[in-house]
Amino acid sequence: NAGVTQTPKFQVLKTGQSMTLQCAQDMNHNSMYWYRQDPGMGLRLIYYSASEGTTDKGEVPNGYNVSRLNKREFSLRLESAAPSQTSVYFCASSEQGVSYEQYFGPGTRLTVT
Amino acid sequence: DQQVKQNSPSLSVQEGRISILNCDYTNSMFDYFLWYKKYPAEGPTFLISISSIKDKNEDGRFTVFLNKSAKHLSLHIVPSQPGDSAVYFCAASENNAGNMLTFGGGTRLMVKP
């Protein structure tokens, strides 16, 4: 059981470039999430997918798009990267329902120059 | 404006003593609270949770206390161990908001041998 996997681990982009962060989970969870972590800000929800076929905006969705490719995979796309998107990105998954813990991947450290 | 705040960015404690991490929230609709622990270069992992119908939940060395009238929760670790050194995030959720979590900014705990 790999849990939640993310690729890549590190990425450096120039302003205006695009990229997709990949996330996959093997726990058969219905819900998946993308967060960003910035110093002193904790984790902020970018987008989430409560179940396969649905996606919803979180707290900070601007500049991002997501695709729930299937039950296992949830990708995050930056169409035109900006320095403000320099952050550590975490994907997570869980069963549906607030009492279920979220399982996090190891993160992707993204730098936009 | 942050709805979940951890006002102490860091805390240093001697091994064997009690660690107390605090968290305040402003949204009275929050009714489920969680603590996550994060080591460097890893994703957060779930530690303990509490529902708003309780004021205390205990799991081994970890106890979470909830004071709804003060909109305050705390995590007690007794006794503290060097392996507890990590960043601790509190998070909160509204029952009718699906699995969406709002995180605090985190507190870095250092347990000295």
Side-chain angles (χ1 to χ4, degrees):
Chain A
N1 246 4
V4 178
T5 57
Q6 293 182 235
T7 55
K9 284 188 168 38
F10 302 94
Q11 184 71 48
V12 179
L13 290 178
K14 293 189 190 312
T15 297
Q17 287 185 318
S18 62
M19 80 161 295
T20 300
L21 282 65
Q22 306 285 356
C23 174
Q25 53 93 7
D26 62 3
M27 294 173 282
N28 203 35
H29 287 159
N30 285 309
S31 301
M32 297 186 73
Y33 317 82
W34 276 105
Y35 292 91
R36 59 178 288 174
Q37 184 197 1
D38 302 295
M41 301 292 291
L43 287 91
R44 292 182 291 169
L45 184 65
I46 305 171
Y47 270 94
Y48 69 102
S49 171
S51 61
E52 188 178 355
T54 69
T55 60
D56 286 286
K57 294 178 181 179
E59 183 184 352
V60 289
N62 291 345
Y64 305 94
N65 284 302
V66 290
S67 295
R68 183 75 183 265
L69 303 169
N70 47 56
K71 191 171 185 180
R72 288 188 64 247
E73 298 171 289
F74 189 39
S75 63
L76 178 73
R77 183 160 178 84
L78 287 70
E79 290 291 351
S80 178
S84 61
Q85 294 178 305
T86 294
S87 189
V88 181
Y89 291 85
F90 290 100
C91 177
S93 71
S94 74
E95 294 294 352
Q96 275 181 294
V98 69
S99 62
Y100 291 101
E101 67 175 279
Q102 295 184 14
Y103 293 81
F104 285 81
T108 294
R109 185 173 293 275
L110 175 66
T111 302
V112 183
T113 61
Chain B
D1 189 29
Q2 282 189 297
Q3 296 185 73
V4 179
K5 288 185 180 178
Q6 295 176 252
N7 291 318
S8 298
S10 64
L11 174 68
S12 183
V13 169
Q14 205 68 35
E15 181 179 6
R17 306 294 288 268
I18 184 171
S19 295
I20 300 176
L21 294 90
N22 294 304
C23 180
D24 296 294
Y25 62 96
T26 56
N27 186 346
S28 58
M29 299 301 290
F30 287 146
D31 56 8
Y32 198 79
F33 304 89
L34 308 92
W35 285 93
Y36 280 79
K37 176 179 176 179
K38 185 184 179 305
Y39 293 117
E42 295 183 10
T45 55
F46 170 76
L47 191 56
I48 192 168
S49 63
I50 187 166
S51 164
S52 60
I53 62 173
K54 295 185 175 181
D55 55 18
K56 177 182 173 181
N57 189 27
E58 194 171 349
D59 184 2
R61 297 186 297 114
F62 303 92
T63 303
V64 57
F65 295 92
L66 176 62
N67 182 334
K68 288 189 292 294
S69 60
K71 295 192 179 69
H72 176 84
L73 64 156
S74 61
L75 174 69
H76 292 211
I77 307 173
V78 184
S80 300
Q81 300 173 353
D84 296 329
S85 297
V87 177
Y88 289 78
F89 293 99
C90 69
S93 178
E94 294 180 42
N95 190 38
N96 62 356
N99 291 32
M100 288 181 63
L101 295 179
T102 302
F103 283 82
T107 296
R108 181 178 302 278
L109 173 66
M110 291 162 285
V111 180
K112 298 178 181 176

